[in-house]
Amino acid sequence: MSACRRGGRINGEVAVTSRAHASSTARQAAGDSTGCVYGAVGRTTPDCMSMAYVSGNALVILGGPYHLIQTIYLDDVQSLDGVEIDESTGKIAVSSGSSIYVYQPYGKSEGALKWSLQWHTVVNEAKATQCTLSWGCLDEILVGSSSLRLFQIAENETLIWTRRLSRPVKLACFSPDASFIASTARYDRLVKLWRRLSYGSEDARFDHTYLAHPKTVTGVQWRKAEQQSQGVENVLFTICADYKVRIWAATEPHGLHVFQLWGDIDMLESIQPRHVMPSTRPSDRYAFIVNGHELTWAAEQIVQADRHEQNRHHSIEHLLEVAKSSPDVCVVLDNEGHMSAWGLENIGKSSRSATDIFNIAHIEDFYHFPSRGIASLEHQVQLYSFLGDQPGSTFALLLHQFDGTITWLEARIDHLFDPSPRINRLHPSSIWTGHDAPIKKMVRTVRGKAIVSRTNDNEGLVWKQSLRRQGMGLSRWSTFQASEHIHRTLLLDDGNFIVNLHHNSITLWDAQSFAARQIALCPYEIDGKPLCLIQLPELASSAKCVYLATISSAMKGIVWQIQLPATRNQKIPIRDSEPTHIESFCSFEIESGEDLAFVLPVDPAGSNSTISGFLDTFAKDIAISYTHSGTLCAWTARLNLDQRSINWLITSKIKTGIQSPSLASGSSIRKVAVVDAGRTGLTIWDSRSGQLEYDQKNDLNELIQDLDWSSTPDDQSILAVGFPHRVMILSQMRYDYLSEGAAWAPIREIYVKDSTPHPIGDSVWLGNGNLVVGAGNQLFTYSKAIVTSDDMISDLAVPVHQHSITDIFDVVAHLNGPLPAFHPQFLAQCVLAGKQVQVQKIIVQLQKTLKFYSDGDELGKFLNLSTDEFYDNQKDVDLVAKKEMQSSYAEMTDEVEPETLSEIIAASLNEHLSKIALPHLSNQEQIRLADIVECVATAEKHRRSMDNNAMRYFLFFRHHMLTKFQAPERRIAVNWREIAWAYHSESQDILVDLVSRQFQGRMLWEHARESGLFMWMTDLSALRTQFEVIARNEYSKSDEKNPINCSLYYLALKKKAVLTGLWRMATWHREQSSTQKFLSNNFQEPRWKTAALKNAYALMGRRRFEYAAAFFLLAGNLRDAVSVCTHQMKDLQLAVAVARVYEGDEGCVLRELIEGKILPQAAFEGNRWLATWAFWMLGRRDKAVRVLVSPIHTVLGTTADTSLESKSFLANDPALVVLYKQLRERTLQTLQGASMISPREEWEFVMQNARIYDRMGCDLLALDLGKF
């Protein structure tokens, strides 16, 4: 799930389970003076090791240092203060004041272990108090407060024993066999020992005695039982404020005083450091117990693991010597890293010898407790040790600091007690710490190395990245608590300083120590509500002077100058004399002219923005603004230090058409995401070009609530879209104008509902690609690692033979960046750019390379072809001449390597492609490559009889046919781009023949529409001839030969007589007699025109639209026939074809159709290919050229009534520049149209297409535009 997870702030209770141990409990009260504390060890199921802790109102259950099983939030309580696990049943009890909750496990057999509420009770107390919990036997639970209460909850809740106490209990815990209870009150020097006299669901009885101590008892722990089925020798360990660990044994089971003092260990005397530091306090002593049976078992496992080693390490020999008599071990620690381990042998014997307590090791640099820079309560520590019972398990030590932190430390048991010097005996595996209230907001630094998380109660924590054994994680760095409401927060200097914007002031905090301190404050006044806090571009990368700005809803703003102090070591105390200040630098006002919705700083995806010498649109964006009417603006700014002023510049302005957006987020590399008012629609925009790159509607039940940007080191964008219980990660993709593929695609989906029921509060990216998600009071850090075999990745262009766990940056880089020369998209774009010869070179070179290729061989992206060959036009001419001298069907020989492409070479290459998985290509891309190779070879066969435009059309039409065969659900017609190429071709005769062959000479109207035939044919005589072919084929497409199928076509050709003859032969048709008689009339007469119109309207009522259009033509009403084709049949091509066939290209109906329907549709959709075709059909060739460059609505002279589709990146096909270059000097009229385009507009058009080529991965084509 995650490489690291930050739990919420720990309330003071932790329970751990391990299947090797029986249940025992001892807890340390928060107010005691000695720092020696203990925890609870048990097991939830026979083969599941678990740990539980409470944080805020959440119960967190883990299966180890890196495995979160479940988080349970108790909504009806403010905070939890106790937790205990029953090892025999796996049940977990938690307490909140006088309320007790018990959760039982389920789903273990299904492999989905979870807990659900089983039982809840409230104990009656005179005043509020915290309860202590301990599990007994047979579903018994002991609750300690002002009374001791024993509940039996196996079936029904039963209070089987209660005893009022003189003072509220602080610690109360059952012995492993549930025959004794040890309890003590706060600041009590007596341990009350309760002996069980009877067992039963209704008659439990206890008597008690006392264990006296000289000072306050601070810790109580029973020795863990080896096996519950065997007899248990109860041993009690107590810790006292006199710094001694006492061992109590049951030496007189039937006497008045069952337990007697067996021995003690003086913790102060145990550790005598050679060099006593002046700051060392003698009270800093900690202790924990390692059970003898655990020690013996661990030693056996280590010997088994090292049985093949000839020379056993001395640390193992030492461990075996210690463990041979299975002694318990008391480990004493101090704050300076010293450790002293003592063996306890023969506990419980009536007589004790001097050797029963012996020293095992005295070690320096054992483990240094984190120095928090705070004292009193939060300096206290609870230690909790256990050993796993699986082979290879390590010793684990939980370090619970009362500032709200749990550290999971691990070590090999032989390394733990090795007397010789060692580095890093104990290494932290995981750390849990954080908030005790739900996280509201998280903010990262520019470089993403630190973040700050904030709650509604104005508490903030600073986190910094740290390297751990399991990868990069987060470490708690500093904490602050503001007295005023925090409006906005910023982190400066990699998290060393915090800036908080309040309603009337701005404050600076030093976060270099564990507890941050406010070091500067500046009051302010401003009209309107402050909307943002923006860090302005730096004057220099190492400057200590920072400038921040806020902008209000009234478009008024203030700039502050902040002088940061020099950074220092965390242990050095803060000096008040450091030159630190916040002062108002200047005020400003921005004239927006529109109703502002919000202003936001951009996410710092990329490097720091610095002030350049100029204020221009090349500067990095620092903020975005949005109006209620849907206008999106990106802003940059430059400070003038001499005049103490700031200049703002709009770098881009986009009219999105999205009214009243609910959410938006921009990145510093010109990407903006906008969420609509309903929080279900997401759009992503390129703010530099104003292009829409992504438009997606989500389920109404899932509302978008968060947007976070990141980027790869080479500035490829990544967006995290947050929903209440999941995060969708979208990656920028290469533009794909051939298959009209998406420019963004999901590459990962993170579900947090399996880990926590709390909705996500916020999320933020770290600089290394990890994603931090805040849900409730927990932080989840999700690794940047991605499994490329996941379904989301396998649907994208990731090579199938490279499925593995990889970096998210590597995946995004593969989905973007330069394409290899043999990539199908690069080859297709080369064909569109007129570089057919270079395409041949690449295909032939690929065939030569794969002939001797084997797995593991390196395959260069450019196949060892130099870029000179790509740009050398003279070599292209020579190769074409050589091609014309050779036969396409020349036999290949081993002696002569082919230099030109033929169908034989293409077949050989495709055979290799069916067997070899090429690097840099996915499975689907390799299939497309094979299709492209076949199409290029087929087109090359007809090269002598076709011009370049015909080649472009035929290659992509053939590719369309292959794609349709492989995926019938794909697009059913060729693009208007292909239609435009064929329309401007001088080889239409051969194209008509080749297209007809694709349909086996039986072309129906659906085939003609699919190929766009009647849109691009310019010879009206050939057009009508082909239309008559369609009519004949429509008539004969079925065995019954129904004249209705061809009526529209023959009547458009004005061949009523032919249609009448066909009806004469349709004797089987029930309408034959009436229709033949009706067609015999003269429809030039008004009477029969009216009759034909009535029949047309009647057919419209019966939704027989094609037949109705035929009757409109019969009545001579072309306009209504075209209207039926356009509006009812939704077949624009049929409408155009009927109009052209019926009245030619100069007819008024065709002109009305183009001007009234086609051109507005092209403007609404942003379809420049359709617009240039339409203007050329109208004879406005000047506008046909202009519309390739200028916005369609400006050429039309209308207002910009457009759709989101018209703003899509697909509307700016880079092949437009190829057609523009071809048409602009074709005629005087086109030259006149080109002259109306300003040089700046033409330059921006070329540069935009160069950027599009770059986004497509066709960098060589982008460079080629430099010769435009």
Side-chain angles (χ1 to χ4, degrees):
M1 180 206 67
S2 66
C4 180
R5 188 193 56 79
R6 293 290 159 265
R9 180 182 176 88
I10 313 305
N11 293 356
E13 284 293 334
V14 56
V16 182
T17 69
S18 167
R19 48 176 295 221
H21 314 303
S23 176
S24 69
T25 300
R27 275 181 287 271
Q28 169 67 42
D32 291 335
S33 59
T34 303
C36 310
V37 287
Y38 292 86
V41 177
R43 61 169 177 251
T44 53
T45 63
D47 58 349
C48 179
M49 186 271 291
S50 300
M51 166 187 170
Y53 68 82
V54 291
S55 172
N57 65 337
L59 166 63
V60 184
I61 308 169
L62 303 106
Y66 314 114
H67 178 210
L68 174 64
I69 298 177
Q70 187 179 5
T71 303
I72 301 172
Y73 282 88
L74 284 75
D75 296 330
D76 54 345
V77 302
Q78 188 170 6
S79 66
L80 298 172
D81 44 53
V83 59
E84 185 73 9
I85 299 176
D86 183 8
E87 193 177 280
S88 61
T89 62
K91 295 180 180 180
I92 301 176
V94 295
S95 64
S96 174
S98 57
S99 296
I100 313 299
Y101 303 82
V102 172
Y103 293 85
Q104 62 182 351
Y106 67 93
K108 175 62 179 177
S109 58
E110 292 81 13
L113 180 62
K114 298 292 180 182
W115 277 259
S116 62
L117 183 65
Q118 177 201 1
W119 176 72
H120 169 229
T121 191
V122 178
V123 296
N124 294 322
E125 296 289 345
K127 60 180 181 179
T129 182
Q130 293 184 353
C131 294
T132 181
L133 306 172
S134 181
W135 287 98
C137 62
L138 302 174
D139 274 342
E140 292 177 349
I141 183 168
L142 177 69
V143 179
S145 55
S146 61
S147 301
L148 288 178
R149 297 177 176 87
L150 184 60
F151 292 92
Q152 169 61 250
I153 60 170
E155 295 180 359
N156 298 318
E157 173 192 342
T158 304
L159 179 62
I160 62 176
W161 178 74
T162 182
R163 179 62 60 90
R164 185 75 179 175
L165 303 175
S166 59
R167 297 169 60 188
V169 70
K170 177 187 70 175
L171 303 171
C173 52
F174 265 115
S175 63
D177 59 358
S179 60
F180 294 93
I181 299 173
S183 69
T184 185
R186 186 178 297 273
Y187 305 113
D188 197 348
R189 68 179 188 85
L190 298 177
V191 173
K192 189 174 288 188
L193 195 64
W194 303 81
R195 178 172 56 179
R196 191 162 193 161
L197 302 178
S198 66
Y199 292 82
S201 60
E202 297 181 356
D203 185 25
R205 291 182 296 115
F206 291 82
D207 66 4
H208 68 273
T209 185
Y210 296 95
L211 304 179
H213 293 72
K215 291 189 177 181
T216 301
V217 177
T218 60
V220 175
Q221 178 183 357
W222 292 96
R223 182 170 67 177
K224 302 170 188 175
E226 183 173 357
Q227 291 184 2
Q228 287 186 338
S229 59
Q230 300 179 355
V232 176
E233 294 183 1
N234 291 312
V235 176
L236 182 67
F237 300 97
T238 61
I239 303 177
C240 184
D242 63 352
Y243 312 113
K244 286 187 178 182
V245 178
R246 289 174 171 83
I247 303 99
W248 304 83
T251 56
E252 299 181 14
H254 304 291
L256 180 61
H257 299 284
V258 178
F259 282 80
Q260 301 292 329
L261 181 64
W262 180 84
D264 61 54
I265 297 174
D266 191 322
M267 293 188 289
L268 291 179
E269 295 297 328
S270 297
I271 297 178
Q272 295 291 336
R274 299 175 184 175
H275 306 285
V276 179
M277 302 297 293
S279 61
T280 301
R281 297 189 299 119
S283 60
D284 290 343
R285 294 290 189 272
Y286 313 94
F288 62 88
I289 305 296
V290 178
N291 286 87
H293 65 271
E294 291 180 341
L295 185 69
T296 303
W297 183 90
E300 291 172 354
Q301 294 301 312
I302 289 176
V303 170
Q304 183 70 16
D306 293 346
R307 64 184 182 277
H308 299 299
E309 297 292 334
Q310 294 182 353
N311 297 320
R312 186 174 291 167
H313 196 273
H314 65 84
S315 64
I316 299 178
E317 295 291 349
H318 178 71
L319 177 64
L320 293 177
E321 181 65 24
V322 171
K324 64 182 181 181
S325 57
S326 299
D328 294 317
V329 179
C330 177
V331 181
V332 181
L333 310 174
D334 70 1
N335 265 350
E336 301 302 319
H338 302 100
M339 184 273 276
S340 181
W342 296 85
L344 308 174
E345 208 171 55
N346 302 320
I347 300 178
K349 287 190 177 181
S350 56
S351 61
R352 180 173 70 85
S353 67
T355 59
D356 286 345
I357 299 179
F358 58 94
N359 184 259
I360 295 174
H362 185 85
I363 299 169
E364 297 184 358
D365 293 326
F366 179 77
Y367 180 76
H368 290 269
F369 289 85
S371 177
R372 299 293 185 178
I374 49 180
S376 186
L377 166 63
E378 296 188 348
H379 190 75
Q380 303 301 314
V381 174
Q382 179 178 6
L383 299 177
Y384 205 10
S385 67
F386 60 95
L387 280 163
D389 64 344
Q390 296 296 323
S393 297
T394 59
F395 170 83
L397 178 66
L398 290 182
L399 191 156
H400 178 194
Q401 293 172 274
F402 279 55
D403 63 353
T405 301
I406 293 178
T407 304
W408 183 303
L409 302 166
E410 289 186 348
R412 276 181 49 143
I413 192 70
D414 58 324
H415 294 174
L416 190 73
F417 298 123
D418 184 5
S420 59
R422 279 185 177 272
I423 299 175
N424 298 328
R425 288 174 197 269
L426 283 171
H427 43 262
S429 293
S430 192
I431 300 175
W432 298 287
T433 184
H435 298 278
D436 53 12
I439 294 167
K440 173 186 178 183
K441 182 66 178 175
M442 292 189 293
V443 179
R444 59 170 269 184
T445 60
V446 172
R447 296 196 296 175
K449 291 187 175 182
I451 65 171
V452 59
S453 55
R454 204 179 75 230
T455 63
N456 276 322
D457 57 3
N458 302 317
E459 179 197 44
L461 294 179
V462 178
W463 308 82
K464 288 194 176 184
Q465 284 184 323
S466 60
L467 186 61
R468 303 181 184 277
R469 297 176 66 201
Q470 297 296 317
M472 192 66 71
L474 282 179
S475 293
R476 180 175 170 180
W477 183 257
S478 186
T479 180
F480 66 90
Q481 179 73 55
S483 57
E484 296 183 63
H485 173 72
I486 300 175
H487 197 57
R488 293 289 186 270
T489 299
L490 267 183
L491 278 181
L492 303 176
D493 195 24
D494 284 337
N496 288 323
F497 301 97
I498 311 163
V499 176
N500 290 323
L501 181 68
H502 308 282
H503 290 309
N504 300 308
S505 65
I506 183 170
T507 57
L508 175 66
W509 297 68
D510 189 326
Q512 296 180 79
S513 58
F514 181 77
R517 195 185 74 160
Q518 181 178 314
I519 56 176
L521 179 145
C522 179
Y524 72 90
E525 293 182 2
I526 192 171
D527 294 339
K529 178 183 177 181
L531 299 177
C532 59
L533 185 61
I534 303 170
Q535 184 173 356
L536 298 175
E538 298 177 356
L539 296 175
S541 59
S542 60
K544 280 294 179 182
C545 191
V546 179
Y547 294 87
L548 305 182
T550 186
I551 301 175
S552 73
S553 56
M555 292 305 285
K556 303 291 180 65
I558 301 174
V559 176
W560 291 282
Q561 182 187 63
I562 300 179
Q563 183 65 48
L564 299 177
T567 55
R568 50 191 168 71
N569 187 281
Q570 183 178 344
K571 295 183 179 180
I572 299 175
I574 298 175
R575 295 182 175 86
D576 295 333
S577 60
E578 290 180 321
T580 304
H581 68 267
I582 305 177
E583 64 178 17
S584 178
F585 179 77
C586 68
S587 298
F588 61 90
E589 182 175 355
I590 298 178
E591 296 293 339
S592 65
E594 296 187 61
D595 184 18
L596 187 68
F598 50 73
V599 179
L600 295 170
V602 298
D603 276 352
S607 58
N608 289 357
S609 56
T610 57
I611 294 179
S612 62
F614 304 95
L615 181 64
D616 51 34
T617 57
F618 294 101
K620 276 196 172 185
D621 294 341
I622 62 170
I624 60 169
S625 65
Y626 210 105
T627 64
H628 291 289
S629 60
T631 301
L632 173 68
C633 293
W635 299 80
T636 189
R638 186 176 187 274
L639 290 165
N640 189 322
L641 300 182
D642 296 331
Q643 300 180 6
R644 295 184 68 86
S645 63
I646 184 172
N647 298 316
W648 291 86
L649 176 68
I650 296 178
T651 58
S652 63
K653 191 172 186 177
I654 308 170
K655 293 186 177 180
T656 65
I658 302 173
Q659 303 291 321
S660 302
S662 59
L663 195 63
S665 179
S667 75
S668 57
I669 51 178
R670 305 283 176 95
K671 301 294 180 186
V672 181
V674 180
V675 179
D676 63 12
R679 287 187 176 265
T680 58
L682 171 67
T683 56
I684 301 176
W685 302 79
D686 185 312
S687 61
R688 180 188 294 274
S689 62
Q691 294 180 152
L692 174 66
E693 297 186 342
Y694 184 80
D695 182 17
Q696 181 67 43
K697 281 282 187 180
N698 297 287
D699 194 317
L700 292 175
N701 296 325
E702 274 201 313
L703 303 182
I704 301 172
Q705 60 183 32
D706 188 32
L707 300 168
D708 292 287
W709 288 100
S710 182
S711 67
T712 64
D714 55 348
D715 285 351
Q716 310 291 351
S717 296
I718 308 170
L719 177 64
V721 183
F723 298 89
H725 297 284
R726 69 183 179 100
V727 177
M728 178 74 74
I729 298 179
L730 300 174
S731 168
Q732 171 183 305
M733 303 279 286
R734 296 185 187 96
Y735 286 165
D736 184 357
Y737 289 89
L738 302 180
S739 59
E740 297 183 358
W744 290 79
I747 58 173
R748 187 178 184 186
E749 199 163 19
I750 296 171
Y751 290 92
V752 300
K753 202 165 188 177
D754 294 337
S755 302
T756 174
H758 204 289
I760 295 172
D762 198 6
S763 61
V764 69
W765 288 98
L766 297 177
N768 68 338
N770 291 348
L771 180 68
V772 181
V773 178
N777 61 351
Q778 294 173 298
L779 292 180
F780 299 86
T781 303
Y782 291 90
S783 170
K784 61 183 178 181
I786 288 183
V787 180
T788 57
S789 58
D790 288 348
D791 291 341
M792 280 190 176
I793 299 297
S794 59
D795 291 341
L796 303 176
V798 176
V800 295
H801 57 284
Q802 295 179 6
H803 282 170
S804 61
I805 298 177
T806 186
D807 193 312
I808 187 174
F809 290 162
D810 293 336
V811 172
V812 176
H814 179 84
L815 298 174
N816 295 274
L819 292 169
F822 49 84
H823 194 283
Q825 171 153 280
F826 182 77
L827 295 176
Q829 290 298 328
C830 285
V831 171
L832 289 175
K835 296 185 176 296
Q836 285 86 352
V837 174
Q838 282 83 354
V839 171
Q840 288 188 60
K841 289 181 182 178
I842 294 170
I843 293 176
V844 170
Q845 184 66 23
L846 181 61
Q847 191 272 338
K848 292 178 182 178
T849 304
L850 294 185
K851 186 186 296 185
F852 306 104
Y853 181 85
S854 60
D855 289 341
D857 290 352
E858 184 177 353
L859 186 65
K861 283 193 171 185
F862 290 97
L863 302 172
N864 298 322
L865 295 173
S866 69
T867 54
D868 293 339
E869 294 184 62
F870 187 84
Y871 296 116
D872 194 338
N873 294 327
Q874 183 58 43
K875 290 184 179 179
D876 298 346
V877 174
D878 296 341
L879 188 61
V880 171
K882 186 179 294 186
K883 166 73 176 176
E884 293 176 351
M885 296 174 61
Q886 297 176 353
S887 169
S888 298
Y889 300 95
E891 293 184 359
M892 293 175 59
T893 64
D894 294 335
E895 291 79 11
V896 180
E897 290 287 350
E899 295 186 22
T900 57
L901 180 63
S902 68
E903 289 186 319
I904 298 176
I905 295 175
S908 173
L909 176 55
N910 282 349
E911 183 179 355
H912 291 311
L913 291 176
S914 65
K915 301 175 182 178
I916 301 172
L918 298 185
H920 315 298
L921 294 186
S922 68
N923 184 44
Q924 189 62 36
E925 288 171 340
Q926 194 151 328
I927 293 173
R928 287 179 59 190
L929 173 60
D931 293 344
I932 289 286
V933 169
E934 180 183 341
C935 293
V936 172
T938 304
E940 281 299 317
K941 185 173 69 172
H942 305 281
R943 177 65 178 161
R944 299 178 195 176
S945 54
M946 290 194 296
D947 59 14
N948 283 339
N949 284 339
M951 283 281 291
R952 291 183 178 103
Y953 171 84
F954 181 70
L955 188 144
F956 290 105
F957 172 69
R958 175 65 179 160
H959 183 260
H960 161 75
M961 295 299 293
L962 290 174
T963 304
K964 185 184 79 166
F965 175 76
Q966 295 164 1
E969 73 279 0
R970 297 289 294 274
R971 189 179 64 210
I972 61 172
V974 297
N975 196 291
W976 279 97
R977 176 186 57 235
E978 280 70 68
I979 291 174
W981 297 127
Y983 184 67
H984 292 289
S985 171
E986 302 295 333
S987 311
Q988 292 185 354
D989 292 341
I990 185 65
L991 278 184
V992 172
D993 180 58
L994 290 173
V995 169
S996 181
R997 290 184 196 177
Q998 295 296 318
F999 303 108
Q1000 293 77 44
R1002 299 283 299 172
M1003 185 182 291
L1004 303 175
W1005 171 250
E1006 62 177 303
H1007 302 142
R1009 180 176 58 230
E1010 186 176 347
S1011 63
L1013 184 71
F1014 292 96
M1015 302 300 100
W1016 51 260
M1017 290 184 68
T1018 55
D1019 186 339
L1020 280 177
S1021 177
L1023 180 81
R1024 291 189 173 102
T1025 300
Q1026 194 61 38
F1027 203 72
E1028 189 168 1
V1029 171
I1030 299 293
R1032 288 197 299 268
N1033 292 336
E1034 287 286 342
Y1035 171 71
S1036 59
K1037 69 179 179 182
S1038 61
D1039 294 337
E1040 59 187 12
K1041 296 184 178 180
N1042 193 340
I1044 293 177
N1045 294 337
C1046 61
S1047 296
L1048 176 62
Y1049 306 98
Y1050 278 117
L1051 292 175
L1053 289 164
K1054 300 180 181 178
K1055 293 190 176 183
K1056 188 187 74 169
V1058 175
L1059 182 61
T1060 304
L1062 296 178
W1063 272 108
R1064 189 178 300 115
M1065 293 185 290
T1067 55
W1068 57 272
H1069 204 290
R1070 63 177 185 175
E1071 299 177 4
Q1072 187 256 355
S1073 177
S1074 58
T1075 304
Q1076 182 182 354
K1077 181 179 179 181
F1078 186 75
L1079 289 175
S1080 64
N1081 296 304
N1082 182 6
F1083 289 92
Q1084 299 299 320
E1085 298 179 7
R1087 170 191 173 188
W1088 295 112
K1089 281 188 177 183
T1090 303
L1093 288 174
K1094 288 181 178 180
N1095 277 282
Y1097 287 121
L1099 290 168
M1100 290 276 288
R1102 285 183 278 177
R1103 304 190 66 79
R1104 297 174 66 182
F1105 298 126
E1106 182 178 330
Y1107 205 24
F1111 271 86
F1112 279 123
L1113 290 178
L1114 188 63
N1117 194 336
L1118 174 63
R1119 184 174 285 102
D1120 285 345
V1122 166
S1123 178
V1124 170
C1125 294
T1126 303
H1127 298 99
Q1128 278 71 38
M1129 297 179 66
K1130 307 296 181 184
D1131 195 338
L1132 184 63
Q1133 287 197 38
L1134 182 60
V1136 173
V1138 167
R1140 295 185 69 189
V1141 169
Y1142 193 89
E1143 64 174 4
D1145 289 347
E1146 303 298 328
C1148 61
V1149 174
L1150 177 62
R1151 177 173 292 273
E1152 289 175 5
L1153 175 62
I1154 293 175
E1155 292 178 344
K1157 173 67 178 179
I1158 295 178
L1159 282 173
Q1161 177 181 328
F1164 186 75
E1165 297 175 354
N1167 193 335
R1168 297 176 186 272
W1169 298 102
L1170 176 59
T1172 188
W1173 173 88
F1175 279 124
W1176 201 279
M1177 284 290 297
L1178 291 174
R1180 295 302 308 269
R1181 299 185 177 184
D1182 55 337
K1183 291 187 176 182
V1185 172
R1186 282 181 59 201
V1187 81
L1188 295 172
V1189 178
S1190 304
I1192 301 175
H1193 65 87
T1194 61
V1195 179
L1196 286 173
T1198 60
T1199 57
D1201 182 17
T1202 58
S1203 63
L1204 277 178
E1205 183 183 359
S1206 69
K1207 299 178 175 65
S1208 170
F1209 72 97
L1210 294 173
N1212 296 308
D1213 193 325
L1216 290 166
V1217 74
V1218 179
L1219 184 61
Y1220 172 72
K1221 186 177 180 179
Q1222 183 184 126
L1223 296 182
R1224 65 176 177 175
E1225 297 179 358
R1226 176 175 288 192
T1227 66
L1228 184 61
Q1229 192 179 17
T1230 59
L1231 188 60
Q1232 181 182 3
S1235 66
M1236 297 178 67
I1237 301 171
S1238 67
R1240 179 179 178 82
E1241 189 176 12
E1242 185 176 83
W1243 167 253
E1244 290 178 348
F1245 173 65
V1246 173
M1247 292 306 297
Q1248 180 184 20
N1249 281 280
R1251 286 192 295 269
I1252 291 173
Y1253 273 133
D1254 180 67
R1255 178 69 183 272
M1256 294 173 69
C1258 302
D1259 301 63
L1260 292 177
L1261 294 177
L1263 291 173
D1264 196 45
L1265 286 182
K1267 301 185 297 181
F1268 185 81

